Amino acid sequence: MPYNYNTPEDRREMLDAIGASSVESLFASIPSNLRFAGELDLPRALGEIELEQHLRALAGKNANASSHVCFLGGGSYDHFIPAAVDTIGSRSEFYTSYTPYQAEVAQGNLQAMFEYQSMVTRLTGLDVSNSSLYDGGSATAEAVLMALDVTKRSRVVMLESVHPEYRLTVETYLENLKASATTVRTLGGLADVADVLVELDGDTACLVIQHPNFFGSLESARALADAAHEAGAVVVAIFDPISLGLLERPGDWGADIAVAEGQSLGSPMAYGGPYLGILACREKFVRRMPGRIVGQTTDRRGNPCFVLTLQTREQHIRREKSTSNVCSNQALFALRATVYLSLVGSRGLREIATLCLQKANYLAERLAATDRFELAFASPCFKEFVVRDSENRVDELISDAASQGILAGVPLGQWYPDLADCFLVCVTEKRTRVEIDRLVDVLSTGAAKGLADELIHAGI
């Protein structure tokens, strides 16, 4: 019979069962000045029905991509997810073994990881992929550590147009290493190859490029890669998987290591995670890759089978020989990406990328045609772009749009003080013309509202 903690008899029985003389004795090791005195001001207990209603009401206060029209970007995207992805990803044989690391892992899981790796290498144009990492930021940091190890150099050069949180992740990883990171300014939303050349020297381990970059702009990727290789540095490319439906693959324009946030391949935005870290590289770097690599071989009877070919994390091999201390991985999300890519195929990926490009251009043209807004950068974009508000009321605009059911964009001032009057807008294949036109109307209404407020304040 379950205990009712409110009755003295049950409390006494519980204390006797664990050999404690009193409730107070359980907390005797905690100094009295650190203990809460009195009773917590908690509401009355709820029944299951009332509790579920209460939790649903609380959850209903959240603004998400299901309740609002979403134009958010910056690393997390509202792409369409086919129903089959959820169906297969929810099967218990995958769902309950989301972090299979043991050598005796089931053949089905190993095959799923092998298929994922095969798709990533085909997507990136590189030779080998691991079977996933945490997210795009940690994948970037792991790629940087690979470059430092391979080159035996100590400088990391990153472009300012790389996702600011990815750059912070790299800097955190390097905090206690004999290595340093330099950031090259990208005025105008793009890197100037001449500015990058100044920073590349004989001690540069790698150049980190994001293409399309954080602002959505397309970098001169091949020229930047050539400059890095001329200096003997490794090229680390951060890419948008969806963009490869149209853009040249990282391996084809010179990337040595390619990383990405795989959330857009069949996983929901989920308030920021958990996500999927993609990492692929050239074969010569394979023994320095973090995590695991699944390979195909034959068993003693000659039947094809799958094995964990390489496991370079510290829990599997000698610590001094390990390449990373990455512990878990995102195999369930890698599975979702595998199912997604198998469903859409190369033709579907191209169609999705084309829709993103066309719809983003349509919105950019409409906003640029207004009196208040302009495009912050003139460079070509894929599905994201930066909008400048001439009245510098970005937070007000974003808040007003949210109150009308639209997540209008990501304010940039938190990372780029010189872009405090700008916000990042993303348009995926899910956005309709009606939704795009409504965003323009809502932002324009907000502009008119701001002017009216100023006139009232001035007494006009």
Side-chain angles (χ1 to χ4, degrees):
M1 182 176 178
Y3 287 111
N4 179 351
Y5 301 113
N6 293 322
T7 67
E9 294 78 12
D10 278 343
R11 286 201 295 270
R12 182 69 266 164
E13 189 174 345
M14 291 174 64
L15 290 170
D16 290 342
I18 63 176
S21 60
S22 66
V23 174
E24 182 67 22
S25 68
L26 294 176
F27 305 100
S29 61
I30 302 175
S32 59
N33 64 312
L34 298 180
R35 286 185 250 167
F36 178 78
E39 295 184 358
L40 294 174
D41 183 20
L42 297 175
R44 66 177 181 82
L46 298 176
E48 184 175 355
I49 295 176
E50 293 80 11
L51 180 59
E52 181 179 344
Q53 291 171 340
H54 176 62
L55 292 176
R56 288 186 181 279
L58 291 177
K61 296 181 179 181
N62 292 322
N64 57 64
S66 297
S67 62
H68 288 55
V69 179
C70 183
F71 291 91
L72 301 180
S76 182
Y77 304 102
D78 184 29
H79 286 288
F80 177 72
I81 302 174
V85 176
D86 287 330
T87 301
I88 296 175
S90 298
R91 290 182 63 92
S92 61
E93 55 266 43
F94 293 119
Y95 196 76
T96 60
S97 59
Y98 63 94
T99 173
Y101 259 113
Q102 296 72 25
E104 64 275 13
V105 61
Q107 283 292 298
N109 276 306
L110 288 172
Q111 182 176 357
M113 287 184 267
F114 182 83
E115 300 295 346
Y116 163 79
Q117 293 170 185
S118 301
M119 290 182 179
V120 169
T121 56
R122 185 177 177 185
L123 191 66
T124 60
L126 291 167
D127 303 317
V128 60
S129 162
N130 70 5
S131 57
S132 75
L133 293 167
Y134 296 128
D135 53 25
S138 61
T140 302
E142 294 286 359
V144 167
L145 294 183
M146 284 179 63
L148 291 169
D149 187 29
V150 167
T151 63
K152 307 304 178 186
R153 296 179 176 185
S154 61
R155 287 189 69 241
V156 175
V157 177
M158 300 185 288
L159 305 184
E160 191 183 31
S161 54
V162 167
H163 195 306
E165 292 177 352
Y166 291 13
R167 288 188 279 117
L168 287 172
T169 303
V170 170
E171 291 168 2
T172 301
Y173 270 63
L174 300 182
E175 183 70 26
N176 295 306
L177 300 179
K178 294 180 180 179
S180 61
T182 300
T183 300
V184 180
R185 294 295 305 275
T186 53
L187 300 175
L190 289 173
D192 187 318
V193 179
D195 292 340
V196 176
L197 281 171
V198 172
E199 296 295 341
L200 299 174
D201 58 24
D203 197 33
T204 303
C206 64
L207 172 63
V208 183
I209 305 165
Q210 184 169 355
H211 173 68
N213 66 27
F214 179 69
F215 306 121
S217 302
L218 305 183
E219 298 279 3
S220 300
R222 186 179 293 274
L224 291 168
D226 290 343
H229 287 150
E230 187 68 24
V234 170
V235 175
V236 175
I238 305 168
F239 66 96
D240 177 348
I242 299 297
S243 74
L244 299 186
L246 289 175
L247 300 181
E248 192 174 23
R249 301 180 301 178
D252 295 337
W253 55 255
D256 300 299
I257 307 173
V259 299
E261 173 51 67
Q263 175 270 330
S264 59
L265 302 178
S267 291
M269 299 177 78
Y271 296 99
Y275 282 170
L276 166 66
I278 296 174
L279 189 150
C281 70
R282 301 199 182 277
E283 187 174 0
K284 62 183 178 180
F285 299 147
V286 65
R287 291 196 172 273
R288 308 314 304 167
M289 289 187 84
R292 311 162 302 164
I293 301 174
V294 176
Q296 187 175 25
T297 184
T298 55
D299 63 17
R300 58 193 175 93
R301 297 185 180 87
N303 298 317
C305 65
F306 300 91
V307 296
L308 287 176
T309 302
L310 287 177
Q311 302 176 76
T312 57
R313 71 178 188 141
E314 62 182 16
Q315 295 181 25
H316 283 105
I317 62 176
R318 286 177 294 172
R319 178 169 293 182
E320 65 272 16
K321 295 291 185 179
S322 66
T323 62
S324 170
N325 66 349
V326 58
C327 287
S328 182
N329 77 104
Q330 303 303 92
L332 180 62
F333 296 92
L335 171 73
R336 294 180 66 94
T338 306
V339 176
Y340 177 88
L341 288 171
S342 67
L343 287 170
V344 302
S346 57
R347 179 177 176 180
L349 194 64
R350 175 178 290 273
E351 291 175 353
I352 294 168
T354 300
L355 287 171
C356 291
L357 175 65
Q358 292 174 342
K359 294 182 178 187
N361 281 336
Y362 173 73
L363 175 57
E365 291 172 0
R366 286 226 51 197
L367 287 174
T370 65
D371 295 331
R372 180 169 179 174
F373 303 107
E374 65 178 8
L375 302 184
F377 308 124
S379 52
C381 297
F382 169 53
K383 67 182 181 186
E384 296 175 89
F385 55 91
V386 177
V387 179
R388 173 167 280 115
D389 173 20
S390 63
E391 297 187 14
N392 196 10
R393 292 172 178 257
V394 172
D395 290 339
E396 179 184 317
L397 283 172
I398 299 296
S399 177
D400 184 59
S403 69
Q404 299 186 57
I406 298 178
L407 303 176
V410 180
L412 294 178
Q414 57 186 317
W415 299 298
Y416 302 93
D418 54 333
L419 297 177
D421 58 347
C422 297
F423 57 102
L424 182 67
V425 178
C426 174
V427 189
T428 70
E429 79 283 5
K430 286 181 63 176
R431 301 286 70 85
T432 66
R433 181 165 184 163
V434 171
E435 292 171 338
I436 293 172
D437 289 343
R438 183 162 178 260
L439 171 66
V440 176
D441 292 341
V442 166
L443 293 179
S444 299
T445 301
K449 179 177 179 295
L451 177 60
D453 289 344
E454 283 189 358
L455 294 174
I456 293 173
H457 183 71
I460 300 176

